[in-house]
Amino acid sequence: MKKIFMGAAVASLLFACSGESSDGFQLSIDIPSAGDSPVKVTLEGDSVIYEGNLTDGSLTANLSDFDNQFTMVQIMELGQPAVYFHDGADVNITFDEMTGFNIEAGVMNDSADALNDQSAFFGQTMQVLEQKYMTAMDSNDVDAQNEIREEAMNLMESQERMKIEFAKRNDILGASIALSSQSSNLTYEDLKAVLDQVSPEFHSAPDYTRLAERVETMGRSAIGMQFKDFAQTSATGGTLNVLAVEGKYVLVDFWASWCRPCRAANPALVELYNTYHEQGFNILGVSLDRDGASWQKGIKEDGLPWPQISDLQYWQNEISTYYGIQFIPQNILIDDNGVIVAKNMEPAKLGEFLSNNL
């Protein structure tokens, strides 16, 4: 990996010394089976930068350069896009019925391919676990199902951890990788480390800007920060301020009645509430519902005794948006001064914390 990037740096230096420059790149496609298929090159958000047609499966086009980011080349006849990471190098695309697309697109795309190769192992292992889980379901082996489910969750988290460690050492490609992560366990420190290693020359790239915005948002809920007060409609009527909820420790729990994992977690929270409430523990539910009747029904069905608020704006809930909540359930634990002391605590960890601090 280091040799690849060193070679790219030397090539860049030599090119600069020659006095030559380039403001574009060449896209070449050679896929005879695609015939005269339309071709479209798009960026995230469906921004179209090129449209054309193959001629007997071939195309060569000179395109204006753009910021480094994942790019989609749609060849309509094939029914599936070719995705690569653009770093300004020429792009050559071929296709094999057995192995799929082969894309040559520069050193950063080579690194992205290397990451994909590592991720393929996780995918194969996950398929094996899925087969084992189906067998356990057929035999009604609940213990085996639970073990396999936990193993699958650990596998997914290992994959995301591998991706974020890769992102921390791969410049602007790393920023793009970090933004694509689906893990709810990425920390502010993880993303800040990715952001800080991006070279200044890429600070105008859209993925750097997006990651910087996400890091800023996540920083609002960093340990030691003051939780911002909000007022929303209470489930019992009127409005309620977050910091008006009394307790030595208050868990701000982001959930929704339509969220199955949230509902599955509620019994454990009820148990913790019943155990520690008289000692100073409280919970404030912040619902990402959009239907008031469903919200009220979920509270009643799950027997949630703690205060609840919502603005019924779904994922645009003002509080969750401010704190960058992209997955639920999530939570933020604050003390009686409104200072954030922990985030995203599983019931077992939360119980341990409360046992030691109340």
Side-chain angles (χ1 to χ4, degrees):
M1 185 74 71
K2 290 182 179 179
K3 291 182 178 179
I4 290 175
F5 280 105
M6 185 178 295
V10 172
S12 175
L13 179 61
L14 291 175
F15 194 76
C17 291
S18 72
E20 298 177 7
S21 63
S22 173
D23 59 0
F25 67 101
Q26 186 176 86
L27 170 66
S28 300
I29 301 175
D30 184 15
I31 307 176
S33 62
D36 298 330
S37 174
V39 175
K40 183 187 295 185
V41 180
T42 61
L43 306 179
E44 185 168 359
D46 296 326
S47 173
V48 179
I49 63 170
Y50 174 79
E51 288 186 277
N53 288 81
L54 299 177
T55 300
D56 295 328
S58 296
L59 178 146
T60 300
N62 294 314
L63 280 64
S64 297
D65 204 5
F66 50 88
D67 288 310
N68 299 50
Q69 58 195 290
F70 280 107
T71 305
M72 182 182 297
V73 181
Q74 301 179 56
I75 302 170
M76 306 307 176
E77 183 67 25
L78 298 181
Q80 57 180 308
V83 179
Y84 76 95
F85 190 82
H86 181 79
D87 67 4
D90 291 341
V91 179
N92 298 290
I93 302 176
T94 59
F95 183 81
D96 182 270
E97 294 291 342
M98 296 296 293
T99 60
F101 286 106
N102 178 46
I103 306 173
E104 298 176 1
V107 293
M108 286 194 178
N109 189 65
D110 290 343
S111 295
D113 285 344
L115 177 65
N116 287 334
D117 289 342
Q118 294 180 58
S119 298
F121 165 77
F122 289 96
Q124 294 166 0
T125 306
M126 188 63 74
Q127 288 180 353
V128 173
L129 290 177
E130 288 175 356
Q131 294 172 355
K132 290 183 177 179
Y133 188 80
M134 294 300 295
T135 300
M137 287 186 64
D138 290 340
S139 61
N140 200 29
D141 190 338
V142 177
D143 289 339
Q145 292 177 46
N146 291 335
E147 290 177 5
I148 295 169
R149 188 182 296 111
E150 182 177 358
E151 186 176 352
M153 292 179 65
N154 290 337
L155 179 66
M156 292 171 62
E157 188 53 41
S158 294
Q159 182 178 17
E160 291 302 321
R161 178 48 51 188
M162 177 195 71
K163 288 172 61 177
I164 202 65
E165 293 304 323
F166 171 93
K168 290 177 181 178
R169 59 180 187 273
N170 275 276
D171 216 311
I172 187 63
L173 171 61
S176 299
I177 294 296
L179 287 168
S180 71
S181 175
Q182 298 300 309
S183 174
S184 61
N185 293 326
L186 290 184
T187 66
Y188 168 81
E189 290 76 17
D190 282 331
L191 296 186
K192 185 67 163 56
V194 176
L195 184 71
D196 288 346
Q197 59 86 50
V198 177
S199 301
E201 64 185 288
F202 300 122
H203 284 189
S204 63
D207 284 346
Y208 178 85
T209 301
R210 290 172 56 217
L211 184 60
E213 291 172 349
R214 185 171 175 187
V215 167
E216 180 183 3
T217 298
M218 289 189 70
R220 296 169 183 165
S221 61
I223 307 302
M225 294 292 289
Q226 179 75 32
F227 196 95
K228 182 179 178 180
D229 200 12
F230 289 89
Q232 290 189 354
T233 301
S234 169
T236 57
T239 60
L240 176 64
N241 286 68
V242 173
L243 298 184
V245 177
E246 295 183 353
K248 184 175 180 180
Y249 293 104
V250 176
L251 187 76
V252 182
D253 178 46
F254 296 92
W255 77 294
S257 65
W258 47 261
C259 169
R260 291 185 179 181
C262 303
R263 303 292 295 272
N266 278 339
L269 289 182
V270 171
E271 183 176 352
L272 288 172
Y273 179 89
N274 291 337
T275 301
Y276 293 104
H277 180 59
E278 291 187 0
Q279 300 176 48
F281 174 58
N282 209 344
I283 301 176
L284 173 66
V286 178
S287 170
L288 274 63
D289 275 282
R290 52 185 166 187
D291 177 74
S294 297
W295 176 35
Q296 295 282 357
K297 182 180 179 182
I299 295 171
K300 183 177 180 180
E301 288 179 345
D302 291 1
L304 308 182
W306 50 82
Q308 298 277 346
I309 59 174
S310 181
D311 58 12
L312 297 180
Q313 293 300 309
Y314 197 42
W315 285 108
Q316 285 71 49
N317 180 284
E318 184 182 16
I319 306 174
S320 67
T321 299
Y322 180 82
Y323 282 108
I325 302 299
Q326 297 181 317
F327 310 91
I328 52 175
Q330 287 199 56
N331 59 64
I332 298 175
L333 186 67
I334 61 178
D335 66 14
D336 50 3
N337 293 314
V339 175
I340 297 170
V341 297
K343 293 170 57 177
N344 297 328
M345 300 189 79
E346 295 292 336
K349 289 291 185 182
L350 178 58
E352 182 179 344
F353 176 91
L354 296 173
S355 177
N356 293 331
N357 291 278
L358 287 179

